[in-house]
Amino acid sequence: MKGNDGDIIARNKTLSWDYYLDKINDIDSFITRYYHYLRWKSVLDYIDFIFKNIKPDAKVALDIGCNRGYYSAKLGCLGLTVDAVDLNLNSYQLIRNPNVTYFEEDFLNWVPPRKYDLIMTFEVYEHIPQNKRQMFIEKIVNLLNPSGVLLFSGPNCHSMYYGAGYVKDSIKKVFGCVDEIDWHYRIPCQHYNQMFASQNLEIINWYTNGVFPVFSNKLEKILKIFSTQFITDLDLSLSEILKGFGANYFAVLKKSDMLDG
C-alpha cells in the first residue's frame, strides 16, 4: 500500500485505474487490486447517492472494518464526524483526517461513543463467525439513528469469481483437504436481502459489481493491451445490467423512524 495521501479521498468518478495504482495500491496481486478498484468506484458513487438523495443532513458516521480509513477520510472531508473501527490498525498507513477518530477494537465487543446517521461496512460480514452474524447486524441496526443509513457490501457466491471458489473448495472437501467450504463462497445476494428485511431495514438500492470472471493474475498483461481502464469501466457498466451476478454485493439501506420510537 502507498503511504498517507489525503488527496485520494477527494476523487470520485474521476478516480482512474492509473491514479489508483500510483496513489493507493500497486503492491497487491492483480486480482485483489482489480476488485478493490471496482469497490472504490462503487462506494464513492454510493456516497454521492446517499448525500444527494437519502441523507443529506448526515453528521456522524461509523466505518466498521475501516482498514486504512479510505472511506472514513472521504466522509471526514465532507464535514462528517467519523468513528472508524478495525481489529488491526497500522498507524503508519492510516489516512489522517481531523474529523476521523480511529479505534483498534473488535466491533462486537466495542462500546461506541454515540449513535450514527450513516454506517459503512465493506467485506466484513463474511469474516464474522457464522453464529455471531445476526448479533453483528443487530448491533449495527441498534447503532443507527432513526432514518439512519447503512452502506453495506459483501461477497456474492452467484458470481463466476466466487462460484469458481465454491467449486474449488467443494473438490477439496471431497478429498478431505478442507472440512468446510469457505463462507466467502457460500453467500448469495438473496441471503443479504432476506437478512436486511428481517431487521426491518428498507433496501433503497442494491446491485453487484465485478461481473468479469478474473481468475488469474497473469491477465493483467493481457488486459493492458486493451486498456485496463476500459475493462474496469465496462465491468461496472455491465454490472448495472447483470444485477445479481457480480462478485461484490452492495446495498443502501434505511432504518425505519419507528424502530426507536
Side-chain angles (χ1 to χ4, degrees):
M1 295 293 181
K2 299 291 186 177
N4 287 348
D5 186 346
D7 183 46
I8 66 174
I9 49 79
R11 303 300 180 105
N12 197 333
K13 293 182 180 180
T14 58
L15 177 70
S16 69
W17 175 256
D18 288 339
Y19 187 89
Y20 171 84
L21 293 182
D22 182 49
K23 297 294 185 180
I24 303 172
N25 186 1
D26 64 354
I27 297 175
D28 286 337
S29 68
F30 170 68
I31 293 174
T32 299
R33 287 184 280 113
Y34 182 87
Y35 284 106
H36 184 226
Y37 173 74
L38 295 182
R39 189 191 314 165
W40 252 98
K41 297 276 283 186
S42 296
V43 171
L44 293 177
D45 284 348
Y46 260 142
I47 288 175
D48 271 2
F49 173 77
I50 289 169
F51 281 92
K52 289 178 181 177
N53 302 285
I54 309 299
K55 197 67 176 173
D57 59 343
K59 292 181 173 59
V60 288
L62 171 64
D63 186 1
I64 304 168
C66 62
N67 196 267
R68 288 184 58 204
Y70 307 108
Y71 312 116
S72 301
K74 169 68 176 179
L75 295 182
C77 283
L78 292 174
L80 276 73
T81 298
V82 184
D83 293 332
V85 59
D86 199 296
L87 186 59
N88 297 294
L89 293 177
N90 185 326
S91 59
Y92 173 74
Q93 291 188 333
L94 291 178
I95 300 170
R96 301 294 180 179
N97 183 285
N99 292 329
V100 178
T101 302
Y102 289 102
F103 299 85
E104 188 168 12
E105 301 276 356
D106 180 342
F107 172 72
L108 289 176
N109 299 323
W110 178 56
V111 180
R114 69 191 102 221
K115 289 196 172 185
Y116 303 93
D117 302 317
L118 171 63
I119 295 178
M120 306 185 297
T121 177
F122 308 124
E123 314 300 312
V124 174
Y125 177 84
E126 67 274 17
H127 297 285
I128 303 295
Q130 188 180 353
N131 64 348
K132 294 184 178 180
R133 288 184 180 153
Q134 183 173 350
M135 183 194 311
F136 175 75
I137 296 299
E138 288 176 352
K139 184 170 184 176
I140 289 175
V141 173
N142 289 332
L143 287 174
L144 279 171
N145 285 322
S147 298
V149 172
L150 169 62
L151 179 52
F152 177 97
S153 79
N156 170 38
C157 71
H158 285 174
S159 65
M160 293 186 69
Y161 179 64
Y162 283 110
Y166 179 86
V167 171
K168 180 181 68 176
D169 264 23
S170 297
I171 295 172
K172 287 182 177 180
K173 187 176 181 181
V174 169
F175 289 97
C177 299
V178 296
D179 294 328
E180 291 293 338
I181 298 172
D182 192 313
W183 263 92
H184 279 75
Y185 309 139
R186 296 173 59 186
I187 309 177
C189 54
Q190 291 84 353
H191 166 85
Y192 299 114
N193 290 347
Q194 293 167 3
M195 173 183 66
F196 295 136
S198 72
Q199 297 296 323
N200 294 314
L201 288 168
E202 179 187 0
I203 299 177
I204 305 298
N205 187 282
W206 77 271
Y207 91 118
T208 58
N209 75 9
V211 296
F212 286 174
V214 181
F215 298 128
S216 172
N217 290 308
K218 295 178 180 179
L219 284 174
E220 183 168 19
K221 293 181 180 179
I222 299 174
L223 292 181
K224 281 183 178 179
I225 298 174
F226 299 99
S227 168
T228 305
Q229 183 68 62
F230 172 78
I231 298 296
T232 55
D233 289 347
L234 180 61
D235 196 331
L236 287 169
S237 296
L238 289 176
S239 295
E240 296 281 357
I241 301 170
L242 300 174
K243 187 175 183 179
F245 294 98
N248 297 307
Y249 170 97
F250 282 87
V252 177
L253 307 112
K254 187 176 181 181
K255 182 177 181 179
S256 169
D257 292 334
M258 305 300 294
L259 288 181
D260 289 336

